[in-house]
Amino acid sequence: MSDYQEFITLIKRKTKIDLSLYKEVQMKRRLTSLRDKRGFKDFSTYYQALDKDQDMMDEFLDKMTINVSEFFRNIKRWQVLEEKILPELIKNKSQIRIWSAACSTGDEPYTIAMILSQKMDMSKVSILATDIDEKILERAKQGIYTERALKEVPKALKDRFFSYDNSLYTIDEKLKQVITFKKHNLLSDPYPKGFDLIVCRNVLIYFTDQAKTEIYQKFSQSLVNEGVFFVGSTEQIFTPEAYQLRLLDTFFYQKYKS
Ligand SMILES: C[S@@+](CC[C@H](N)C(=O)[O-])C[C@H]1O[C@@H](n2cnc3c(N)ncnc32)[C@H](O)[C@@H]1O
């Protein structure tokens, strides 16, 4: 077994995170550069250090998860959601359930909440926001952001939903109330069900094709009939019908009855 393969096995045993389901070339490159930066010549000695030093383990987890996010990321797609997808989706619905999977710092579920607040009574909205990274979920719950994360937020929404203090923006409590943040590993945990909309963006690109196939299947099973799956802007599904999905608009897929 290679040094890296051995490392994958040890990390899985310790953290339950299976690095073999992430594309190897990119992941190995990221982790090798981190390992070199910390002065270890191979993965075996790096693992021994990680095993003993929680700060180093946290740094490793931070690097492998890639937490970059922002509000209204790829804003044109959010306009399509707002103007075309949501009006149909919420029509005649007394309740709407949404899952923001791999939500990182929360920019994505809060973006969804802001959009929906203009369209329906928020007591009818529930958003589950999940990520594998517990630390990032704590930050998401706090809802404090720098200017950079807000660069695409329309002014009216910025004024309405953020308070500004000391160069930082804090999200409105009313939005927090409709969101439940929870740890969830897309590669190993059972998938919750019954969602009208699932948003999962900018994480599937890191997974192997085999892992993606299983994830698409599970997301499809988590959607109600006519429910919509919204993916990232480099994450088209090439054979949506294999998962009972049909293309609704670029990067939006709708589940149909079998
Ligand atoms: C680049 S961020 C994407 C954030 C947001 N969805 C967006 O598009 O702006 C990727 C997120 O995926 C999470 N992630 C990585 N592997 C995961 C897994 N196996 N299960 C759940 N989340 C995972 C990371 O912790 C990170 O927060």
Side-chain angles (χ1 to χ4, degrees):
M1 207 190 281
S2 79
D3 183 41
Y4 184 65
Q5 296 306 326
E6 176 87 34
F7 180 74
I8 288 182
T9 309
L10 293 167
I11 289 293
K12 188 172 177 192
R13 203 174 295 153
K14 189 168 172 80
T15 67
K16 300 203 178 69
I17 293 173
D18 188 352
L19 291 171
S20 73
L21 298 172
Y22 291 76
K23 284 182 191 150
E24 181 166 328
V25 178
Q26 287 104 313
M27 186 57 84
K28 197 170 167 186
R29 195 188 304 130
R30 290 181 80 76
L31 298 181
T32 304
S33 105
L34 181 63
R35 183 200 77 187
D36 291 352
K37 210 165 101 189
R38 291 286 153 262
F40 297 96
K41 60 179 186 332
D42 56 32
F43 279 105
S44 163
T45 46
Y46 183 46
Y47 179 77
Q48 285 165 22
L50 289 183
D51 196 26
K52 290 196 206 94
D53 183 336
Q54 190 58 44
D55 286 347
M56 214 185 280
M57 180 56 101
D58 288 346
E59 182 194 47
F60 158 77
L61 290 173
D62 201 33
K63 191 76 178 176
M64 67 107 347
T65 49
I66 315 160
N67 296 128
V68 193
S69 192
E70 68 179 76
F71 288 85
F72 291 90
R73 186 172 185 174
N74 315 110
I75 191 159
K76 291 230 157 55
R77 297 290 101 208
W78 291 98
Q79 284 160 355
V80 172
L81 178 76
E82 180 170 356
E83 287 157 22
K84 183 171 167 189
I85 310 288
L86 278 178
E88 282 302 311
L89 203 62
I90 64 180
K91 213 194 263 173
N92 310 322
K93 284 248 165 71
S94 56
Q95 214 61 39
I96 177 152
R97 288 191 69 209
I98 298 167
W99 180 12
S100 165
C103 69
S104 189
T105 36
D107 317 36
E108 185 177 278
Y110 289 129
T111 297
I112 300 167
M114 278 191 264
I115 292 174
L116 273 168
S117 72
Q118 304 170 89
K119 295 195 170 288
M120 66 194 289
D121 178 351
M122 290 306 268
S123 65
K124 295 176 175 170
V125 177
S126 75
I127 301 174
L128 172 67
T130 62
D131 200 281
I132 193 176
D133 183 342
E134 276 171 297
K135 283 233 162 82
I136 217 74
L137 288 172
E138 284 311 312
R139 276 178 56 193
K141 277 185 216 167
Q142 282 185 343
I144 300 173
Y145 300 92
T146 58
E147 179 89 45
R148 195 202 60 80
L150 271 74
K151 70 178 184 344
E152 297 286 7
V153 181
K155 173 140 186 1
L157 295 181
K158 204 165 160 181
D159 292 346
R160 181 163 161 209
F161 290 114
F162 292 89
S163 54
Y164 180 73
D165 186 32
N166 245 336
S167 310
L168 293 172
Y169 292 85
T170 303
I171 199 97
D172 192 304
E173 276 303 315
K174 283 198 277 308
L175 293 187
K176 286 188 183 174
Q177 280 162 14
V178 300
I179 304 175
T180 307
F181 288 99
K182 209 174 159 205
K183 184 177 179 188
H184 180 272
N185 183 344
L186 288 165
L187 295 165
S188 60
D189 288 331
Y191 280 38
K193 293 207 161 49
F195 294 97
D196 302 289
L197 173 67
I198 296 176
V199 181
C200 183
R201 309 181 73 225
N202 306 303
V203 65
L204 298 174
I205 31 162
Y206 301 117
F207 298 150
T208 63
D209 286 344
Q210 195 197 333
K212 271 194 277 194
T213 302
E214 283 176 31
I215 288 176
Y216 292 146
Q217 203 66 58
K218 289 182 190 164
F219 274 142
S220 175
Q221 286 163 6
S222 291
L223 284 170
V224 298
N225 283 327
E226 316 276 296
V228 172
F229 181 35
F230 177 18
V231 298
S233 294
T234 53
E235 300 175 321
Q236 298 97 318
I237 307 177
F238 293 109
T239 54
E241 54 299 333
Y243 313 101
Q244 238 180 285
L245 298 170
R246 70 181 175 88
L247 185 67
L248 202 54
D249 202 300
T250 324
F251 310 114
F252 292 93
Y253 300 88
Q254 184 167 44
K255 182 172 175 179
Y256 53 79
K257 275 193 195 142
S258 52

